[in-house]
Structure formats: structure tokens, C-alpha cells
Amino acid sequence: QRLKAAVHYAVGYLCQEVEEDKDVQFSKQSIAAISEITFRQCGTAGLPRCFLMLCRHAKRTTVTTEDVKLLARRSNSLLKYITQKSEELASSNMEQKEKKKKKSSAAKGERTPGEQEAAVTENEDSNMA
């Protein structure tokens, strides 16, 4: 029930954005109908079954972003949006991993590659003098 309410809220929000952009109006009944169709299509009968079939076909148990892109390929705009968000998440995850590496290296007293290079250069300069 909460999921259905969340879908209805999201559809209402998207319809409101379309109203502002395209200068059209959506009735409450049309928003409710779109919400119901969306919920049914994405609910237990729709997408989860498709994802399950894709995973079984690939002999996997995990749904990947590639599975989502495969199902979204019929809509160029949706595929573009999913691809963009996927790349943003991957980039964000890489940045977080780098930060964690730096923190753990600093906590252990290790130097980062840039600091190691600077220390070597400093040692070479002092040896030359």
C-alpha cells in the first residue's frame, strides 16, 4: 500500500512537471489511472519478472544496470536517462572509494603516491647538495 502511494506521488510530481513545461493539464482521474497502470506494469507482474528472466538467462542472481538498460532500450529518452544516472553513480562510487583509501592510508601513516614522489624528489635534492 505504501509503495502504491509512493508511485502515485511520483506520477503526480512528474505530471506537474509536464504541466509546467508543456502547458497542459492533467485531471486527478488521469493521474490516478497513470499511477495504476505504472504500478501494475512495474509491480509483481511486470518488471520483476523480466529482470528474473534476464538474470536466469545470464546464469546470474543479481540484477545489473545492464539489465535495466536492456529493458529500457525501447525508449531512447529513458535509456539515455538511465545511462546518465548509472555513470553518475559509478563516478560517485569511485570518488568515495578514493576518499576511503586516502583516509585509511593516512590513518596507517602511509603516504599517497604523490607524497611518495615528493619525498623522493626532496631526498634526491638533499643528496645533490
PDB file of all heavy atoms in Angstrom, residues 93-117:
ATOM      1  N   ASN A  93      30.751   6.558  -6.796  1.00  0.00           N
ATOM      2  CA  ASN A  93      31.296   5.415  -6.054  1.00  0.00           C
ATOM      3  C   ASN A  93      32.816   5.389  -6.128  1.00  0.00           C
ATOM      4  O   ASN A  93      33.483   5.084  -5.140  1.00  0.00           O
ATOM      5  CB  ASN A  93      30.727   4.103  -6.585  1.00  0.00           C
ATOM      6  CG  ASN A  93      29.288   3.900  -6.180  1.00  0.00           C
ATOM      7  OD1 ASN A  93      28.793   4.529  -5.261  1.00  0.00           O
ATOM      8  ND2 ASN A  93      28.603   3.023  -6.893  1.00  0.00           N
ATOM      9  N   MET A  94      33.385   5.716  -7.287  1.00  0.00           N
ATOM     10  CA  MET A  94      34.837   5.739  -7.430  1.00  0.00           C
ATOM     11  C   MET A  94      35.446   6.820  -6.543  1.00  0.00           C
ATOM     12  O   MET A  94      36.473   6.595  -5.899  1.00  0.00           O
ATOM     13  CB  MET A  94      35.231   5.981  -8.892  1.00  0.00           C
ATOM     14  CG  MET A  94      34.932   4.808  -9.813  1.00  0.00           C
ATOM     15  SD  MET A  94      35.830   3.321  -9.360  1.00  0.00           S
ATOM     16  CE  MET A  94      37.454   3.787  -9.846  1.00  0.00           C
ATOM     17  N   GLU A  95      34.814   7.994  -6.488  1.00  0.00           N
ATOM     18  CA  GLU A  95      35.308   9.078  -5.641  1.00  0.00           C
ATOM     19  C   GLU A  95      35.283   8.672  -4.171  1.00  0.00           C
ATOM     20  O   GLU A  95      36.229   8.952  -3.432  1.00  0.00           O
ATOM     21  CB  GLU A  95      34.458  10.333  -5.853  1.00  0.00           C
ATOM     22  CG  GLU A  95      34.682  11.000  -7.187  1.00  0.00           C
ATOM     23  CD  GLU A  95      33.725  12.157  -7.429  1.00  0.00           C
ATOM     24  OE1 GLU A  95      32.957  12.524  -6.502  1.00  0.00           O
ATOM     25  OE2 GLU A  95      33.741  12.692  -8.547  1.00  0.00           O
ATOM     26  N   GLN A  96      34.204   8.002  -3.749  1.00  0.00           N
ATOM     27  CA  GLN A  96      34.104   7.574  -2.357  1.00  0.00           C
ATOM     28  C   GLN A  96      35.171   6.539  -2.027  1.00  0.00           C
ATOM     29  O   GLN A  96      35.758   6.564  -0.944  1.00  0.00           O
ATOM     30  CB  GLN A  96      32.715   7.010  -2.075  1.00  0.00           C
ATOM     31  CG  GLN A  96      31.642   8.078  -2.022  1.00  0.00           C
ATOM     32  CD  GLN A  96      30.264   7.503  -1.776  1.00  0.00           C
ATOM     33  OE1 GLN A  96      30.064   6.297  -1.764  1.00  0.00           O
ATOM     34  NE2 GLN A  96      29.287   8.383  -1.604  1.00  0.00           N
ATOM     35  N   LYS A  97      35.447   5.635  -2.953  1.00  0.00           N
ATOM     36  CA  LYS A  97      36.488   4.624  -2.729  1.00  0.00           C
ATOM     37  C   LYS A  97      37.849   5.282  -2.598  1.00  0.00           C
ATOM     38  O   LYS A  97      38.659   4.889  -1.758  1.00  0.00           O
ATOM     39  CB  LYS A  97      36.502   3.607  -3.874  1.00  0.00           C
ATOM     40  CG  LYS A  97      35.362   2.624  -3.821  1.00  0.00           C
ATOM     41  CD  LYS A  97      35.451   1.630  -4.958  1.00  0.00           C
ATOM     42  CE  LYS A  97      34.268   0.677  -4.946  1.00  0.00           C
ATOM     43  NZ  LYS A  97      34.326  -0.290  -6.054  1.00  0.00           N
ATOM     44  N   GLU A  98      38.115   6.286  -3.442  1.00  0.00           N
ATOM     45  CA  GLU A  98      39.392   7.001  -3.367  1.00  0.00           C
ATOM     46  C   GLU A  98      39.536   7.708  -2.019  1.00  0.00           C
ATOM     47  O   GLU A  98      40.604   7.696  -1.420  1.00  0.00           O
ATOM     48  CB  GLU A  98      39.516   8.005  -4.512  1.00  0.00           C
ATOM     49  CG  GLU A  98      39.714   7.377  -5.874  1.00  0.00           C
ATOM     50  CD  GLU A  98      41.006   6.585  -5.976  1.00  0.00           C
ATOM     51  OE1 GLU A  98      42.034   7.032  -5.420  1.00  0.00           O
ATOM     52  OE2 GLU A  98      40.987   5.500  -6.584  1.00  0.00           O
ATOM     53  N   LYS A  99      38.462   8.332  -1.547  1.00  0.00           N
ATOM     54  CA  LYS A  99      38.498   9.021  -0.253  1.00  0.00           C
ATOM     55  C   LYS A  99      38.773   8.036   0.874  1.00  0.00           C
ATOM     56  O   LYS A  99      39.548   8.320   1.786  1.00  0.00           O
ATOM     57  CB  LYS A  99      37.176   9.752   0.008  1.00  0.00           C
ATOM     58  CG  LYS A  99      37.004  11.005  -0.818  1.00  0.00           C
ATOM     59  CD  LYS A  99      35.693  11.686  -0.518  1.00  0.00           C
ATOM     60  CE  LYS A  99      35.493  12.916  -1.376  1.00  0.00           C
ATOM     61  NZ  LYS A  99      34.189  13.558  -1.134  1.00  0.00           N
ATOM     62  N   LYS A 100      38.128   6.861   0.804  1.00  0.00           N
ATOM     63  CA  LYS A 100      38.349   5.851   1.839  1.00  0.00           C
ATOM     64  C   LYS A 100      39.786   5.359   1.813  1.00  0.00           C
ATOM     65  O   LYS A 100      40.388   5.145   2.855  1.00  0.00           O
ATOM     66  CB  LYS A 100      37.392   4.667   1.645  1.00  0.00           C
ATOM     67  CG  LYS A 100      35.984   4.957   2.071  1.00  0.00           C
ATOM     68  CD  LYS A 100      35.108   3.741   1.903  1.00  0.00           C
ATOM     69  CE  LYS A 100      33.679   4.034   2.314  1.00  0.00           C
ATOM     70  NZ  LYS A 100      32.801   2.875   2.128  1.00  0.00           N
ATOM     71  N   LYS A 101      40.347   5.188   0.616  1.00  0.00           N
ATOM     72  CA  LYS A 101      41.737   4.753   0.503  1.00  0.00           C
ATOM     73  C   LYS A 101      42.670   5.779   1.130  1.00  0.00           C
ATOM     74  O   LYS A 101      43.594   5.431   1.858  1.00  0.00           O
ATOM     75  CB  LYS A 101      42.135   4.566  -0.967  1.00  0.00           C
ATOM     76  CG  LYS A 101      41.866   3.220  -1.528  1.00  0.00           C
ATOM     77  CD  LYS A 101      42.456   3.126  -2.915  1.00  0.00           C
ATOM     78  CE  LYS A 101      42.138   1.798  -3.555  1.00  0.00           C
ATOM     79  NZ  LYS A 101      42.650   1.714  -4.928  1.00  0.00           N
ATOM     80  N   LYS A 102      42.438   7.052   0.825  1.00  0.00           N
ATOM     81  CA  LYS A 102      43.278   8.110   1.368  1.00  0.00           C
ATOM     82  C   LYS A 102      43.178   8.165   2.888  1.00  0.00           C
ATOM     83  O   LYS A 102      44.179   8.338   3.572  1.00  0.00           O
ATOM     84  CB  LYS A 102      42.909   9.455   0.754  1.00  0.00           C
ATOM     85  CG  LYS A 102      43.355   9.595  -0.687  1.00  0.00           C
ATOM     86  CD  LYS A 102      42.981  10.935  -1.247  1.00  0.00           C
ATOM     87  CE  LYS A 102      43.390  11.037  -2.718  1.00  0.00           C
ATOM     88  NZ  LYS A 102      43.003  12.329  -3.289  1.00  0.00           N
ATOM     89  N   LYS A 103      41.954   8.020   3.408  1.00  0.00           N
ATOM     90  CA  LYS A 103      41.769   8.054   4.859  1.00  0.00           C
ATOM     91  C   LYS A 103      42.468   6.889   5.526  1.00  0.00           C
ATOM     92  O   LYS A 103      43.127   7.049   6.544  1.00  0.00           O
ATOM     93  CB  LYS A 103      40.279   8.032   5.209  1.00  0.00           C
ATOM     94  CG  LYS A 103      39.584   9.355   5.059  1.00  0.00           C
ATOM     95  CD  LYS A 103      38.154   9.262   5.532  1.00  0.00           C
ATOM     96  CE  LYS A 103      37.445  10.598   5.384  1.00  0.00           C
ATOM     97  NZ  LYS A 103      36.040  10.509   5.820  1.00  0.00           N
ATOM     98  N   SER A 104      42.336   5.699   4.956  1.00  0.00           N
ATOM     99  CA  SER A 104      42.968   4.532   5.579  1.00  0.00           C
ATOM    100  C   SER A 104      44.487   4.613   5.467  1.00  0.00           C
ATOM    101  O   SER A 104      45.207   4.208   6.366  1.00  0.00           O
ATOM    102  CB  SER A 104      42.456   3.231   4.966  1.00  0.00           C
ATOM    103  OG  SER A 104      42.854   3.115   3.616  1.00  0.00           O
ATOM    104  N   SER A 105      44.988   5.163   4.363  1.00  0.00           N
ATOM    105  CA  SER A 105      46.434   5.338   4.210  1.00  0.00           C
ATOM    106  C   SER A 105      46.959   6.347   5.217  1.00  0.00           C
ATOM    107  O   SER A 105      48.012   6.146   5.826  1.00  0.00           O
ATOM    108  CB  SER A 105      46.769   5.818   2.801  1.00  0.00           C
ATOM    109  OG  SER A 105      46.444   4.835   1.854  1.00  0.00           O
ATOM    110  N   ALA A 106      46.237   7.437   5.403  1.00  0.00           N
ATOM    111  CA  ALA A 106      46.653   8.469   6.356  1.00  0.00           C
ATOM    112  C   ALA A 106      46.606   7.927   7.780  1.00  0.00           C
ATOM    113  O   ALA A 106      47.478   8.229   8.597  1.00  0.00           O
ATOM    114  CB  ALA A 106      45.751   9.695   6.224  1.00  0.00           C
ATOM    115  N   ALA A 107      45.614   7.123   8.072  1.00  0.00           N
ATOM    116  CA  ALA A 107      45.499   6.559   9.415  1.00  0.00           C
ATOM    117  C   ALA A 107      46.639   5.596   9.708  1.00  0.00           C
ATOM    118  O   ALA A 107      47.113   5.499  10.829  1.00  0.00           O
ATOM    119  CB  ALA A 107      44.161   5.849   9.574  1.00  0.00           C
ATOM    120  N   LYS A 108      47.108   4.893   8.697  1.00  0.00           N
ATOM    121  CA  LYS A 108      48.211   3.951   8.863  1.00  0.00           C
ATOM    122  C   LYS A 108      49.572   4.630   8.773  1.00  0.00           C
ATOM    123  O   LYS A 108      50.592   4.004   8.980  1.00  0.00           O
ATOM    124  CB  LYS A 108      48.139   2.862   7.791  1.00  0.00           C
ATOM    125  CG  LYS A 108      46.952   1.954   7.919  1.00  0.00           C
ATOM    126  CD  LYS A 108      46.937   0.944   6.790  1.00  0.00           C
ATOM    127  CE  LYS A 108      45.711   0.059   6.847  1.00  0.00           C
ATOM    128  NZ  LYS A 108      45.663  -0.862   5.713  1.00  0.00           N
ATOM    129  N   GLY A 109      49.564   5.897   8.432  1.00  0.00           N
ATOM    130  CA  GLY A 109      50.818   6.627   8.312  1.00  0.00           C
ATOM    131  C   GLY A 109      51.494   6.420   6.959  1.00  0.00           C
ATOM    132  O   GLY A 109      52.638   6.781   6.773  1.00  0.00           O
ATOM    133  N   GLU A 110      50.762   5.833   6.025  1.00  0.00           N
ATOM    134  CA  GLU A 110      51.319   5.627   4.691  1.00  0.00           C
ATOM    135  C   GLU A 110      51.199   6.899   3.892  1.00  0.00           C
ATOM    136  O   GLU A 110      50.364   7.750   4.143  1.00  0.00           O
ATOM    137  CB  GLU A 110      50.560   4.503   3.977  1.00  0.00           C
ATOM    138  CG  GLU A 110      50.683   3.170   4.672  1.00  0.00           C
ATOM    139  CD  GLU A 110      49.798   2.108   4.028  1.00  0.00           C
ATOM    140  OE1 GLU A 110      49.115   2.421   3.032  1.00  0.00           O
ATOM    141  OE2 GLU A 110      49.790   0.985   4.523  1.00  0.00           O
ATOM    142  N   ARG A 111      52.045   7.008   2.891  1.00  0.00           N
ATOM    143  CA  ARG A 111      51.996   8.168   2.013  1.00  0.00           C
ATOM    144  C   ARG A 111      51.255   7.819   0.741  1.00  0.00           C
ATOM    145  O   ARG A 111      51.335   6.702   0.250  1.00  0.00           O
ATOM    146  CB  ARG A 111      53.420   8.615   1.649  1.00  0.00           C
ATOM    147  CG  ARG A 111      54.182   9.137   2.831  1.00  0.00           C
ATOM    148  CD  ARG A 111      55.538   9.589   2.400  1.00  0.00           C
ATOM    149  NE  ARG A 111      56.254  10.172   3.514  1.00  0.00           N
ATOM    150  CZ  ARG A 111      57.525  10.456   3.484  1.00  0.00           C
ATOM    151  NH1 ARG A 111      58.234  10.215   2.418  1.00  0.00           N
ATOM    152  NH2 ARG A 111      58.103  10.994   4.534  1.00  0.00           N
ATOM    153  N   THR A 112      50.561   8.826   0.199  1.00  0.00           N
ATOM    154  CA  THR A 112      49.912   8.637  -1.092  1.00  0.00           C
ATOM    155  C   THR A 112      50.989   8.657  -2.164  1.00  0.00           C
ATOM    156  O   THR A 112      52.107   9.139  -1.922  1.00  0.00           O
ATOM    157  CB  THR A 112      48.887   9.766  -1.362  1.00  0.00           C
ATOM    158  OG1 THR A 112      49.584  11.005  -1.452  1.00  0.00           O
ATOM    159  CG2 THR A 112      47.831   9.825  -0.273  1.00  0.00           C
ATOM    160  N   PRO A 113      50.702   8.158  -3.379  1.00  0.00           N
ATOM    161  CA  PRO A 113      51.714   8.153  -4.439  1.00  0.00           C
ATOM    162  C   PRO A 113      52.316   9.534  -4.703  1.00  0.00           C
ATOM    163  O   PRO A 113      53.514   9.667  -4.903  1.00  0.00           O
ATOM    164  CB  PRO A 113      50.949   7.641  -5.662  1.00  0.00           C
ATOM    165  CG  PRO A 113      49.861   6.790  -5.081  1.00  0.00           C
ATOM    166  CD  PRO A 113      49.500   7.461  -3.791  1.00  0.00           C
ATOM    167  N   GLY A 114      51.512  10.582  -4.644  1.00  0.00           N
ATOM    168  CA  GLY A 114      52.018  11.943  -4.855  1.00  0.00           C
ATOM    169  C   GLY A 114      52.965  12.369  -3.752  1.00  0.00           C
ATOM    170  O   GLY A 114      53.989  12.993  -3.982  1.00  0.00           O
ATOM    171  N   GLU A 115      52.627  12.001  -2.509  1.00  0.00           N
ATOM    172  CA  GLU A 115      53.500  12.338  -1.380  1.00  0.00           C
ATOM    173  C   GLU A 115      54.800  11.556  -1.443  1.00  0.00           C
ATOM    174  O   GLU A 115      55.861  12.069  -1.111  1.00  0.00           O
ATOM    175  CB  GLU A 115      52.776  12.039  -0.058  1.00  0.00           C
ATOM    176  CG  GLU A 115      51.611  12.973   0.238  1.00  0.00           C
ATOM    177  CD  GLU A 115      50.810  12.518   1.442  1.00  0.00           C
ATOM    178  OE1 GLU A 115      50.840  11.308   1.774  1.00  0.00           O
ATOM    179  OE2 GLU A 115      50.140  13.360   2.051  1.00  0.00           O
ATOM    180  N   GLN A 116      54.724  10.291  -1.891  1.00  0.00           N
ATOM    181  CA  GLN A 116      55.931   9.472  -2.027  1.00  0.00           C
ATOM    182  C   GLN A 116      56.866  10.079  -3.068  1.00  0.00           C
ATOM    183  O   GLN A 116      58.064  10.163  -2.872  1.00  0.00           O
ATOM    184  CB  GLN A 116      55.565   8.034  -2.433  1.00  0.00           C
ATOM    185  CG  GLN A 116      54.923   7.251  -1.316  1.00  0.00           C
ATOM    186  CD  GLN A 116      54.447   5.889  -1.786  1.00  0.00           C
ATOM    187  OE1 GLN A 116      54.453   5.589  -2.968  1.00  0.00           O
ATOM    188  NE2 GLN A 116      54.036   5.059  -0.827  1.00  0.00           N
ATOM    189  N   GLU A 117      56.300  10.520  -4.171  1.00  0.00           N
ATOM    190  CA  GLU A 117      57.103  11.127  -5.240  1.00  0.00           C
ATOM    191  C   GLU A 117      57.771  12.404  -4.747  1.00  0.00           C
ATOM    192  O   GLU A 117      58.943  12.660  -5.006  1.00  0.00           O
ATOM    193  CB  GLU A 117      56.201  11.431  -6.451  1.00  0.00           C
ATOM    194  CG  GLU A 117      56.963  11.886  -7.672  1.00  0.00           C
ATOM    195  CD  GLU A 117      56.029  12.070  -8.845  1.00  0.00           C
ATOM    196  OE1 GLU A 117      55.262  11.153  -9.147  1.00  0.00           O
ATOM    197  OE2 GLU A 117      56.088  13.158  -9.455  1.00  0.00           O
TER     198      GLU A 117
END
